[in-house]
Each structure stands twice: as structure tokens, then as C-alpha cells.
Amino acid sequence: MSWQSQPLNKRIVAFDKELIHAGNKGLAIDHEEVAVEVDALMATMTLSQKINQLHGLQPASIDGFYYAGGDEELGLAPYKMVDGPRGARAGMATAFPVAIGRAATFDVELERRVGLAMGLEVAAKGGNVILAPTINLLRHPGWGRAQETYSEDPWHMGAMAVAFISGAQNHVLTSPKHFALNNLEITRFDLSANIDVRSLHEVYLPHFKRSIQETAAASVMSAYNKMNDVYCGEHPILLTDILRDDWGFTGFVESDWFLGTRSTAAAIDAGMDIEMPSTHWYSEENINEALASGELNEEAIHRNARRVVYQNVAWQIADMEVPDERVVECEEHIALAREVAEKSFVLLKNDKILPLEDTPGLKVALVGDLADTVNLGDRGSSFVTSSEVSTPLSGLQAFIKHASLHYFRSDDDLTRLGEFDICIVVAGLTYVEEGEFIPTQQQEVEEGELARGGDRETFALPDHQRFLIDTVAGVAKKTIVLLEGGSAIQVTDWLDKVDALLMLWYPGREGGHAIANVLFGNCSPSGKLPVSFPRSMDQLMPWDVNSLSVDHSLLHGYRLLDHQDQEPAFPFGFGMSYTTFDLDGLQIERTADHFNVTVSVTNTGTVSGVEIVQLYVSCTDSTVFRVPKELKGFGRAELEAGETADLEMNLGDEDLRYYDPEQNGWVLESCSYDLQLGVSSRDLPLSSGWLFDGVEWQPV
Ligand code: BGC
């Protein structure tokens, strides 16, 4: 065949670093220049002025903003910090789908755009630090704040986090949180997360490290909990040895709020720079006392204050532009929120029922109170209020032109459902069952802005929700379940009774419109699970929401399920489409320090769609324990029907190493590696074996 008749396939580069990191101001800092300016300023500062840099400026937020670090005399404008992970928590703002939903898109470029939009909205409201992203690994899907984070997998988490950070840092400073091991909610103020050095570096910290080294996150928030019996806010190993000495972090660390600081000298010495939101332990009086008793020395005050001042100068906080407030909830951000929601939905079951066709004569029933409920996620610190929210009901009402739509609340007469061609049930969770734990009685009674949340003791849906699904499925001709929630939910007890299941997460202000577009085939679902859906909690490690001590290891999520050879209800990385794909032509090219992995992806169906290709690595003859396989790359192929693309991924040697506690460092072991490619952690049809002899790599 001549070159003319052989069309070149579209080429897709997964994780295009240049594109992801474009415009990130943290990466453009001229550190030499800043250091000179900061040292000159520091030389003029009194002890009292330095101490003033070390705490927030008032206990309650002002219009959502928490202030720190300002000093008029020195010409330093204050940091104005605001939550959080799904949008600006200051008045009205674009409520994006929660982070776990955005993670289901496996779309780093999209997440960068979300970061850009949230950063811009924060800046337009006068803020300069966004208290996001939350990147605590989802060790157990019952964690109340699962919705705020991205994944049970550190590589996936790292990719989404750096995309968000680089996007947001076009406009404002970011603050990846909570450093570290904050993954049980109810006991977060007292709990000790116990962990060995290897699991810490290999599983629970890589995404924090990437946030610092790859994308220059400007600040880090410490966690409430303890690590190995020492509070994270005063942990020298976390805050100094790892964060600064090992990773080279030059930003500041602020405490988590209220109970995030537990001491004066110990916390300052360990490297926790700013007590938030105001001062107690870091008051001038306490610090002077600690200095006088010799518990603390002035150098530590100088060092910590310098870190706070450093970012202020580097980011030129006083001269930061405040964009026009009309960018908040602007058309572009609303369209983005809708696009993200559409791409975040995960089709888990489809018995030839979806997509629906909006034809005259089609009788659709929409069932359940959640269909008519604004359900944006928890009501803890990440709660965002939008001026308008499209619910499943309003979204379908706006979309449907020809079919008929009838809405049933849960207590309506559901025996009539048999008259409809299709019954769509909206079921799931709300801020009452999961979220940041804010249990004050008054708030529960008032059903005010903040509410209970907490960890989930069970994956099962609340009884009334299961009853609703059972009732509808018992009467309806065809049942589609739309499931809202921020993590894995048990589906095994009712899945067989329904015809289709679409996981929505908490889909943000545009959720309803996105639902209509996906259900009626304007776009094909393309999300994949960022968290394994076990058959029940029994498949995972023991889980006690009141525990004060939790042991961490290399095994959780799909790593644990693989290791124990357990079949989950739906594996990590799983999600269906309205079309079909074929993967072939795996090519692997070895360079000096990485593999170029290319695979051809063809849309073999009749409609356009997206396949998310995943690359896992197994180390087959290691001398140390290795989990069966680990995700080390992914890419998205958006393809028209019949189209083929060559998807290129880059697998670096650093991703093949394990952490050796004896050497306190990473080791690239001489052994065999199996590179496996496919479309979920349990569907990996292509593979290629490689042997490393300590010097060279050979295919086997
Ligand atoms: C949460 C943080 C949040 C902070 C400020 C804390 O309780 O743990 O994630 O950023 O409050 O609202």
C-alpha cells in the first residue's frame, strides 16, 4: 500500500505535560530573585512582625475568606483563603461535580480547566488561596469525605491533582490537603493512622509529592489526625524531613482549622508555619513564653515566617489582579460544569435499554424524592452554593420535547408505574449520610447550611431507598437507576432487578441537563470508576468508623481485592459506553529511562464515544512483596464511530520502583515487569513482558 492510501491514525498523547502545566505561576517563580527580596524584607522585621505571620487573623471567615499573613507596614497584603474542592465557597459560585466524579472522567485536561475556572472565580471574589485539592487516598470507600478526593489509586490521584493545581495556579495559590493520611472522618481529631515507611511513600504520599515537585503547589494544609501517634500538625518527619528536605517544598504549611494545631514549640519546630484560622497556640504570648523557656529559638520563628513571606513576595499577593466578578458562574463555567458532569457518569449496567429516544408516545416516569432535590454533595467545608441548579427532574423537563414525562414522589401511588414504558428511579445518598462530620445538634434541627455527614458504616443504601428501587422494579416494565453518592455503594442486593444503572456521583449545578443528555444519547457515557465497588464491605479490610487507631498497608482497594482474589461488583477502572472499542497493535519502545507505550484504539460501534485505556504494571519475580498490579498510566481516546487513534503513554522508570525502608530510598529492582493494557483493572487484554538485569532492559 502506498503512503498516500494509508491514512495515518489520529495520535493522542496521554498526559501532555506542557499543556497541563501551562500558565502555572508557581512553576514560573524566579527563586533566586525572590530569595534576595525576601531576605531584605526579613532583615527589617521585628520578632513581633514575624510572629504575626504565623497565624490566621480572625476565627470566623469574612464572606467565606480566612485571612493570614497581611502586614500593612511591610507592604504585605493578606492571604485570603477559601474552600474548596468543588468550587469557591464564598457567596454564589459554580458548583462543579465533586472531585470523585471529576476523577471518573480520567480527563486531566478537563480537570486542568476546572482548576482554571475555580481559580478564576476565587480570584474574582478577591481571594488568593484555594483550599484545595483534597488528595487523601481513598483507603476505604466508607470515608465520609470520599467525594472530596479523587481516587483509591495514587497514580490516578496524582495525575488529577497536578492537573487541578496547575490550572488553578494560573490565578491563585493552591493548598493540597490534608497532609497526611486523613481518611477516617468521625474520629479525625484523635485518630492515629499507623503506617510503615514503605506504604507511606509508595501508596499514601506519591500524589502529594507530585503536587509539590511537578506542579509547585504553593502551600500545603496539614491534617487533623496523627500519624504513628504524633499529630500531623507537629510531625517533623512529615513536615520537615519528607516535605522539605526530601521533596524540596518551598511554600508554607497551614494547619487544618480549629484543632489542627496542638502545641506551640513542637508544631513550630516541626515546620507547621501558620496556625489557622486564628491564634491560640501561636499567640505572641505563648511564643514569647516558649522562647523564654528555651523550648523554642528565634531561628525557628524566622524560618517559618520567611516561608510565609516568601510566597507572598513570589506570588506578588499585593499586586494580584482581581478579575471582573462576572466570570463567576459565567456561561463558559456553566458549560464546563455540564461537560464535566456528562463525562463523569459511569454506566455500570445497560440491558439494551439506553440510550432512550425522545419519541412521541414514549411514556417516561421519573421516580424518587432525589429527582427533585438539589443534591450537590456534603455540607461541610466543601459546600458550594450556585444561583441555579438543574436537578434530574428539571433537566429532563427541559430536554424532553416529544415523549411524556410524569414525576412521582416516593410517597405517591407507585402501583401506576406499570403504565409507563420506562421508569427512571433516582436513588442514593445525601449530606446526611456522608460528608465532613459536623454534628452540632442545632444544625441538624435547623437543617441549615452545615449538617451531619460522617463516615458510612455500611455501603448499603438507606432502607427507604432500597425499598423504593425494589418497589419500582417490581411494577415497572423497564427500570433505570440513577445513583447519587460520593463513593462506592452496595448494588448487589438490587442490581439484578433493574435494567440499567448509571452512577452520577454528585453532579454539580448542571447535573440535570447532563443527565438528560446522557440518557437520551446526545453523548455516550464515558466515566470509569475511580474506586472499586465491592460486593459488600466484607470484601475489604475491617472498618470501624469510631476507631482511634487504623493500620495502613500496601493493600487496599483493587490492590487488596486482587491480592485476595475477590471479585468485586464492579472493579476499579470499569465503565461502559453506548459504543464498543477494540484495542490492538501494542507497541513498546524502550528509551534511556522510560517506555513509550502505544496502542491503537478503534471505535467499532455506531456512535461516537470515549475509551479510557489503562496501563497497569506487575512485577513478577520481585524479592520483596509486591501487590498484584498497579496503575501507572491512562489515556482517553475520543473517537467517532469507525475511527482509530494511536494512544501514546509514557511509563517512566521511577514508576517501577519500590521504596526500600532500609536504604530510605527508591529501588529499581532487577526483575521481570509485565506491562498490561486494557479498559478496567479486571479487563487487560494486551500485555508485554520486560526483564531488567540491573543495566539493560530486554523484552521477554
Ligand atoms: C476542613 C478543611 C477546610 C477547613 C476550612 C476544616 O474543617 O477539614 O478541609 O479547608 O475546615 O474550612
Side-chain angles (χ1 to χ4, degrees):
M1 214 188 271
S2 81
W3 63 271
Q4 278 157 320
S5 58
Q6 193 174 19
L8 281 182
N9 292 335
K10 173 159 101 178
R11 187 171 152 264
I12 301 170
V13 179
F15 206 85
D16 180 339
K17 283 193 179 161
E18 227 172 281
L19 197 148
I20 296 295
H21 298 310
N24 176 347
K25 290 184 182 162
L27 290 171
I29 293 171
D30 181 337
H31 288 282
E32 271 179 38
E33 209 175 279
V34 172
V36 172
E37 203 180 321
V38 169
D39 287 332
L41 187 64
M42 293 296 298
T44 71
M45 284 171 74
T46 62
L47 178 63
S48 167
Q49 280 175 322
K50 289 178 189 170
I51 292 173
N52 204 40
Q53 290 293 313
L54 304 185
H55 56 79
L57 298 175
Q58 66 273 314
S61 76
I62 301 178
D63 296 333
F65 292 98
Y66 295 96
Y67 290 61
D71 191 318
E72 253 179 67
E73 256 176 62
L74 297 167
L76 296 172
Y79 292 114
K80 290 170 74 178
M81 306 179 179
V82 66
D83 288 299
R86 71 182 113 117
R89 184 166 188 240
M92 298 289 170
T94 307
F96 285 94
V98 290
I100 196 125
R102 307 199 310 266
T105 69
F106 281 71
D107 190 338
V108 284
E109 287 167 27
L110 191 65
E111 185 60 5
R112 166 190 147 75
R113 282 161 58 206
V114 170
L116 274 167
M118 284 193 201
L120 185 64
E121 294 200 6
V122 165
K125 287 168 176 284
N128 47 39
V129 181
I130 184 165
L131 300 172
T134 297
I135 52 170
N136 294 114
L137 197 82
L138 195 43
R139 169 183 175 272
H140 190 286
W143 181 38
R145 295 178 78 171
Q147 62 191 273
E148 271 185 57
T149 194
Y150 292 114
S151 189
E152 73 178 31
D153 179 85
W155 204 94
H156 180 214
M157 174 96 85
M160 299 307 289
V162 299
F164 177 88
I165 292 169
S166 265
Q169 288 202 165
N170 275 241
H171 303 291
V172 295
L173 290 75
T174 60
S175 203
K177 62 189 187 184
H178 313 81
F179 192 61
L181 303 169
N182 183 169
N183 49 38
L184 186 67
E185 183 56 15
I186 294 175
T187 56
R188 63 182 166 160
F189 299 122
D190 307 297
L191 159 88
S192 177
N194 304 321
I195 192 161
D196 60 283
V197 174
R198 183 174 168 203
S199 307
L200 180 68
H201 284 275
E202 276 185 35
V203 183
Y204 288 88
L205 294 188
H207 35 285
F208 278 103
K209 183 178 179 186
R210 282 183 77 176
S211 302
I212 304 308
Q213 293 192 331
E214 191 176 323
T215 192
S219 63
V220 165
M221 186 190 293
S222 62
Y224 285 128
N225 53 282
K226 301 172 197 164
M227 177 178 93
N228 297 334
D229 290 321
V230 176
Y231 280 110
C232 292
E234 54 189 46
H235 211 303
I237 296 176
L238 280 176
L239 302 182
T240 295
D241 300 357
I242 294 177
L243 189 61
R244 299 176 196 279
D245 297 348
D246 191 4
W247 300 349
F249 177 60
T250 52
F252 60 82
V253 174
E254 82 274 7
S255 73
D256 201 345
W257 267 230
F258 301 110
L259 286 171
T261 312
R262 300 286 186 145
S263 60
T264 307
I268 289 175
D269 265 341
M272 207 277 285
D273 305 313
I274 308 183
E275 177 183 18
M276 289 303 290
S278 68
T279 183
H280 168 66
W281 291 101
Y282 284 18
S283 68
E284 198 156 352
E285 196 188 345
N286 281 339
I287 288 180
N288 280 330
E289 225 170 79
L291 288 171
S293 70
E295 247 191 304
L296 196 62
N297 60 47
E298 267 194 50
E299 270 156 45
I301 304 294
H302 178 88
R303 181 198 63 186
N304 292 15
R306 186 181 184 280
R307 292 171 184 153
V308 184
V309 172
Y310 190 92
Q311 292 296 43
N312 202 316
V313 171
W315 281 79
Q316 300 173 4
I317 299 287
D319 300 324
M320 257 169 135
E321 252 175 64
V322 178
D324 190 315
E325 217 180 329
R326 278 174 299 184
V327 300
V328 177
E329 291 192 283
C330 63
E331 262 175 43
E332 196 190 316
H333 292 180
I334 293 171
L336 178 61
R338 185 178 312 185
E339 181 185 346
V340 178
E342 285 166 1
K343 291 181 174 170
S344 73
F345 299 160
V346 185
L347 185 61
L348 293 173
K349 178 173 182 180
N350 187 12
D351 257 350
K352 298 194 188 96
I353 183 170
L354 288 171
L356 304 174
E357 250 185 277
D358 182 16
T359 46
L362 181 78
K363 289 178 73 183
V364 180
L366 181 66
V367 193
D369 297 344
L370 284 180
D372 191 23
T373 301
V374 171
N375 195 12
L376 297 173
D378 84 330
R379 297 192 177 182
S381 57
S382 69
F383 188 32
V384 174
T385 316
S386 285
S387 58
E388 215 181 298
V389 176
S390 101
T391 62
L393 176 61
S394 65
L396 286 168
Q397 279 170 335
F399 182 93
I400 293 175
K401 298 280 174 295
H402 307 292
S404 71
L405 178 72
H406 192 97
Y407 175 52
F408 290 84
R409 302 199 67 83
S410 309
D411 55 6
D412 286 340
D413 175 11
L414 301 184
T415 56
R416 284 184 47 211
L417 292 177
E419 298 163 19
F420 292 81
D421 302 306
I422 307 280
C423 291
I424 303 170
V425 192
V426 185
L429 308 173
T430 68
Y431 65 88
V432 177
E433 287 91 26
E434 61 176 353
E436 191 171 352
F437 187 49
I438 303 183
T440 74
Q441 239 179 15
Q442 192 193 3
Q443 281 155 350
E444 276 182 41
V445 173
E446 284 177 358
E447 286 192 352
E449 192 180 274
L450 297 172
R452 192 181 174 284
D455 307 294
R456 284 180 300 150
E457 280 178 56
T458 157
F459 288 157
L461 283 173
D463 288 346
H464 65 280
Q465 297 276 310
R466 275 188 288 172
F467 179 74
L468 181 70
I469 295 174
D470 281 349
T471 310
V472 176
V475 191
K477 290 184 192 136
K478 296 280 177 193
T479 307
I480 298 169
V481 175
L482 307 181
L483 203 53
E484 296 182 329
S487 184
I489 289 173
Q490 187 173 314
V491 298
T492 37
D493 38 345
W494 45 264
L495 186 67
D496 287 347
K497 301 175 193 165
V498 307
D499 300 280
L501 170 60
L502 188 68
M503 183 68 199
L504 304 177
W505 316 106
Y506 294 112
R509 66 158 281 161
E510 291 302 292
H513 296 306
I515 289 167
N517 281 339
V518 170
L519 289 181
F520 284 91
N522 273 6
C523 49
S524 171
S526 60
K528 302 261 184 174
L529 292 179
V531 49
S532 309
F533 271 42
R535 305 185 72 78
S536 74
M537 274 202 186
D538 302 341
Q539 287 193 316
L540 300 179
M541 70 279 272
W543 175 242
D544 172 6
V545 299
N546 298 309
S547 181
L548 293 176
S549 170
V550 173
D551 292 333
H552 292 60
S553 73
L554 296 172
L555 292 169
H556 73 284
Y558 71 83
R559 290 163 165 78
L560 178 64
L561 293 163
D562 284 355
H563 177 69
Q564 295 183 341
D565 210 4
Q566 301 239 35
E567 195 64 43
F570 297 112
F572 177 87
F574 175 80
M576 295 156 69
S577 167
Y578 293 157
T579 184
T580 49
F581 297 92
D582 187 41
L583 259 57
D584 73 0
L586 176 62
Q587 288 176 37
I588 300 191
E589 193 197 333
R590 177 66 208 175
T591 69
D593 61 358
H594 67 271
F595 294 92
N596 280 328
V597 180
T598 308
V599 62
S600 300
V601 191
T602 304
N603 180 343
T604 51
T606 53
V607 295
S608 61
V610 180
E611 184 55 287
I612 293 163
V613 179
Q614 301 156 47
L615 166 63
Y616 294 81
V617 179
S618 302
C619 187
T620 43
D621 53 358
S622 175
T623 54
V624 296
F625 173 77
R626 298 279 189 130
V627 299
K629 63 174 174 286
E630 293 178 285
L631 182 78
K632 295 296 178 187
F634 58 83
R636 296 176 97 251
E638 293 195 21
L639 298 169
E640 297 301 324
E643 196 184 7
T644 299
D646 292 333
L647 177 70
E648 226 180 279
M649 286 178 261
N650 182 312
L651 171 66
D653 286 353
E654 73 267 16
D655 279 333
L656 302 174
R657 299 173 308 176
Y658 76 95
Y659 194 90
D660 181 0
E662 310 240 306
Q663 302 182 41
N664 238 332
W666 295 91
V667 175
L668 181 63
E669 208 185 351
S670 318
C671 59
S672 307
Y673 297 84
D674 199 19
L675 280 47
Q676 299 165 51
L677 276 102
V679 295
S680 90
S681 62
R682 289 283 168 114
D683 185 359
L684 298 165
L686 302 177
S687 72
S688 169
W690 288 78
L691 178 71
F692 181 55
D693 64 10
V695 184
E696 296 211 338
W697 288 87
Q698 299 292 340
V700 287

